Amino acid sequence: KIRPPSQNKKRPRRVAPEPGPRSGPERQTMETEKQYRNCGTLDPQKDGALNIIGRIATVDLDIPLLLEPVIDRETDKHPTHRVWSRTPKGNKCEIGVAWMGIGQASGKSFISFELEADGLPAWCYDGLAAFINKDGSYRLSREIPNVAPEGSA
């Protein structure tokens, strides 16, 4: 049975604080938490290389990613990885940079991205991060802008 939109129950959004725990005493309040939606995966290569491979995969976007470590970093503020992808004809092209870090509250590894390639959706340019899974892979997630609850102004 289809209900009118006003009667549809909204699913609660999954929320996570800045890379950190999803539950427990360290969890921040909902007003300050960032919300994320999964949009791909990353896997460290098992062949001893320091590269990380993966994909951004959504309904309207499916591109391969390769994160190569930056060996000649001048300071800790410089990116830890260069981010590469492939053109539709299969040519390798650099699309941005990434920083690997450790969450202050959780102590877990995460990767934040700064992508600069033409043709990517707007959400790829800000708030893209990867959070580590228990198996050592990463889930690529995009930040959902905070929207004020209905009735608040």
Side-chain angles (χ1 to χ4, degrees), residues 109-120:
S109 178
F110 70 92
I111 303 170
S112 62
F113 292 82
E114 185 176 303
L115 303 183
E116 299 176 348
D118 292 335
L120 292 175

Side-chain angles (χ1 to χ4, degrees), residues 4-153:
S6 62
Q7 293 179 0
N8 285 338
K9 292 183 180 177
K10 291 184 179 180
R11 280 189 341 192
R13 285 188 165 174
R14 294 187 310 162
V15 295
E18 118 358 273
R22 290 197 174 264
S23 62
E26 299 163 344
R27 188 173 173 92
Q28 300 171 345
T29 63
M30 285 188 67
E31 292 78 29
T32 60
E33 289 178 351
K34 295 180 181 180
Q35 299 178 14
Y36 291 91
R37 179 168 293 143
N38 290 345
C39 61
T41 58
L42 296 170
D43 290 301
Q45 291 186 348
K46 307 290 189 222
D47 61 2
L50 298 175
N51 296 337
I52 300 172
I53 56 173
R55 320 193 65 74
I56 295 177
T58 65
V59 171
D60 60 346
L61 183 67
D62 187 11
I63 61 170
L65 296 177
L66 170 64
L67 280 67
E68 291 182 336
V70 175
I71 305 299
D72 55 351
R73 290 176 63 201
E74 294 179 17
T75 70
D76 288 342
K77 294 185 181 206
H78 285 102
T80 59
H81 291 79
R82 287 190 168 83
V83 182
W84 300 85
S85 189
R86 296 262 176 205
T87 67
K89 291 188 176 185
N91 298 318
K92 187 176 175 182
C93 62
E94 187 171 5
I95 63 169
V97 293
W99 287 263
M100 186 172 276
I102 305 293
Q104 292 177 350
S106 69
K108 293 183 180 180
S109 178
F110 70 92
I111 303 170
S112 62
F113 292 82
E114 185 176 303
L115 303 183
E116 299 176 348
D118 292 335
L120 292 175
W123 58 262
C124 286
Y125 297 110
D126 191 31
L128 194 60
F131 302 93
I132 196 158
N133 293 319
K134 290 180 182 178
D135 65 359
S137 66
Y138 290 84
R139 71 184 179 286
L140 192 59
S141 303
R142 64 184 176 111
E143 186 176 333
I144 307 298
N146 285 336
V147 178
E150 291 180 24
S152 66

